[in-house]
Amino acid sequence: MSKILLVGGGGREDAVARKIVESGGELFSALKNRNPSILGLSREHLIVDELDYTRIVDFAVSKGIELAFIGPDPVLATPLENELSKKGIMVASPTMDAARLETSKSFMRDLLTRHKIAGNIFSRLFRDKGDLQSFLSHETREFAVKPIGLTGGKGVKVMGVQLRNAAEALSYATQVLDHDGQVLLEERITGEEFSLQVFTDGSRIAATPLAQDFKRAYENDEGPNTGGMGSITDSNGLLPFIPRRSYDFALSVMQQIVVSMKKDGNPFKGVMYGQFMETAEGPKVVEVNARFADPESMNILSLFEGNFVELLYSIAEGNLKLNFSFLEQASVLKYVVPKGYGTDPVPGSLSVDLKSMPKDIMLYYAAVSGTKEKVEMSTSRSLALVGIAPTIEEASEMVDQNLNRIKGDYYIRHDIGSRHMMEEKMRKFRIS
Ligand code: GLY
């Protein structure tokens, strides 16, 4: 049995952990929270600050780990991959340098520009307050103001959304510049977002079903941005409100990124996740991430059929194996979160009636501790329920129908994948 190390303790990593164990891997985990599902699946675990790569490497070496997989983005910004590789441990995740695709937004924009990859948008990096002020005072366009590095989905502010006018944009951009020494302005784009996650060995890619995630805290996509409140996929691997040609375009962008990284001598292996927006001018790249998406990874891993451990080995060895497929069913994920999540979360506890939970509902444990039946919430996302059914609407209803098996003070977005939401998206799609 292969000894596999998984780093991270959220819902995304719980889904990966299950696939590793189902595929015959012996799981070792390094995580900061006592996630009851991951701990239950692990032969051994290390509770650790996930950024403390030295301790994780020592743990991996002492346990004779053969292959490692890294879940969370902040860990990809550490030299963990590089240090594990030096010890002869295979890693199915990118090096720190390749992960700059996500950890530096200007690196990603520059890569697209240098290699003339389509789907890029206007962006400009500022290091000087005078330049920033002069640029914004002459502009009529609206911009997204972005810190260069990782912000957990919460640092980006957009004119016309969180920033009411040019003065507020200048003030926020100046604040970021003062803090980080630089700030990125990107032309504001509008439309439906979609996520495309691919596996890559540094040369070839293999696609997974197209997904959409819902970042706003409240129903009808209102309220503050969060790490993601839920996500959907459809039975044919596409989304009914995104044209097939946009999916093909996105796939070709991802392939070109992989080829360009290799050409630059900085090959990328692991999971690459492109966030795109379907605009009136066609699909545009919003961001490129160096890992599985959270929550969308849980949709696609719930549908994955094949040997996940073999896939990870083939990624790490540079010999991508395509002997897997995805169940031809729709999936809807809804996150159970503490009340007030997004502004002032109030953690409490949840009772889960696991015995009565139907088999076609997947239940993943996220930033929690306690036991699988008595869950202790943190201030972050707690449980992810994934319904799997022939249609998105049915999968959405399936999650709601089983919520009575979870008791406690929590909040969940019921509208994700609902008939009303899907009809509204289709109506907009038809008139676009
Ligand atoms: N789906 C949002 C993220 O993983 O960053």
Side-chain angles (χ1 to χ4, degrees), residues 12 73 102 152-153 195 213 215 226-228 273 275 287 289 291-296 381:
R12 168 182 52 200
D73 32 313
E102 170 164 11
S195 310
D213 80 326
K215 296 194 175 77
T226 68
Y273 145 42
Q275 184 76 53
E287 56 187 41
N289 297 309
R291 56 176 166 90
F292 265 137
D294 188 346
E296 305 96 300
R381 296 172 293 182

Side-chain angles (χ1 to χ4, degrees), residues 199 207-209 235 300-301 303-305 324-329:
F199 299 110
T208 73
S235 57
I300 66 117
L301 286 169
L303 301 169
F304 181 92
E305 292 191 306
F324 60 88
S325 58
F326 295 93
L327 209 58
E328 290 178 13
Q329 295 270 307

Side-chain angles (χ1 to χ4, degrees), residues 32-307:
K32 60 175 185 264
N33 53 310
R34 300 190 68 83
N35 181 312
S37 179
I38 299 179
L39 296 196
L41 292 163
S42 302
R43 159 99 186 269
E44 288 187 49
H45 67 263
L46 173 73
I47 299 294
V48 64
D49 169 358
E50 291 161 11
L51 303 184
D52 189 348
Y53 61 90
T54 313
R55 278 192 68 200
I56 299 176
V57 172
D58 289 347
F59 175 70
V61 170
S62 71
K63 301 299 166 195
I65 297 298
E66 292 158 80
L67 181 133
F69 184 78
I70 303 169
D73 32 313
V75 182
L76 293 166
T78 74
L80 178 61
E81 192 281 349
N82 313 61
E83 296 301 318
L84 288 168
S85 296
K86 276 188 209 158
K87 301 286 181 192
I89 297 171
M90 282 194 270
V91 190
S93 298
T95 61
M96 186 167 77
D97 228 19
R100 289 188 70 213
L101 208 44
E102 170 164 11
T103 58
S104 166
K105 293 182 179 74
S106 55
F107 174 93
M108 182 277 281
R109 290 288 169 210
D110 177 57
L111 183 96
L112 297 190
T113 306
R114 279 190 299 107
H115 291 276
K116 299 187 174 53
I117 300 175
N120 206 0
I121 56 173
F122 173 84
S123 67
R124 187 171 291 179
L125 181 69
F126 292 92
R127 293 201 172 89
D128 178 86
K129 271 191 223 175
D131 289 348
L132 172 68
Q133 200 160 10
S134 147
F135 176 80
L136 277 175
S137 66
H138 291 99
E139 271 295 335
T140 50
R141 288 178 291 184
E142 288 189 312
F143 292 93
V145 179
K146 298 190 169 185
I148 300 299
L150 300 174
T151 59
K154 291 155 203 150
V156 175
K157 292 195 181 177
V158 183
M159 289 170 78
V161 186
Q162 296 89 356
L163 305 168
R164 279 174 299 179
N165 48 44
E168 282 192 13
L170 178 62
S171 158
Y172 180 58
T174 306
Q175 189 188 317
V176 175
L177 198 154
D178 280 342
H179 187 264
D180 297 348
Q182 51 188 352
V183 63
L184 189 71
L185 259 53
E186 287 183 358
E187 167 194 356
R188 180 187 177 193
I189 49 174
T190 53
E192 283 286 343
E193 285 197 53
F194 60 92
S195 310
L196 180 58
Q197 302 165 83
V198 302
F199 299 110
T200 177
D201 60 1
S203 304
R204 292 188 305 151
I205 64 171
T208 73
L210 209 56
Q212 185 171 52
D213 80 326
F214 296 84
K215 296 194 175 77
R216 297 300 195 90
Y218 313 137
E219 308 236 323
N220 302 316
D221 289 329
E222 285 172 6
N225 269 342
T226 68
M229 295 296 293
S231 43
I232 60 174
T233 63
D234 204 359
S235 57
N236 61 357
L238 300 170
L239 287 168
F241 45 84
I242 301 293
R244 163 118 222 166
R245 62 176 183 281
S246 297
Y247 168 81
D248 294 338
F249 176 89
L251 203 53
S252 128
V253 166
M254 303 292 275
Q255 179 67 69
Q256 289 174 67
I257 291 174
V258 168
V259 169
S260 305
M261 296 281 289
K262 192 172 175 181
K263 263 193 204 148
D264 285 352
N266 186 16
F268 183 105
K269 64 174 171 7
V271 181
M272 191 186 283
Y273 145 42
Q275 184 76 53
F276 292 85
M277 187 175 279
E278 183 67 23
T279 72
E281 287 81 45
K284 303 284 177 197
V285 178
V286 178
E287 56 187 41
V288 183
N289 297 309
R291 56 176 166 90
F292 265 137
D294 188 346
E296 305 96 300
S297 55
M298 287 175 271
N299 295 75
I300 66 117
L301 286 169
S302 301
L303 301 169
F304 181 92
E305 292 191 306
N307 189 304

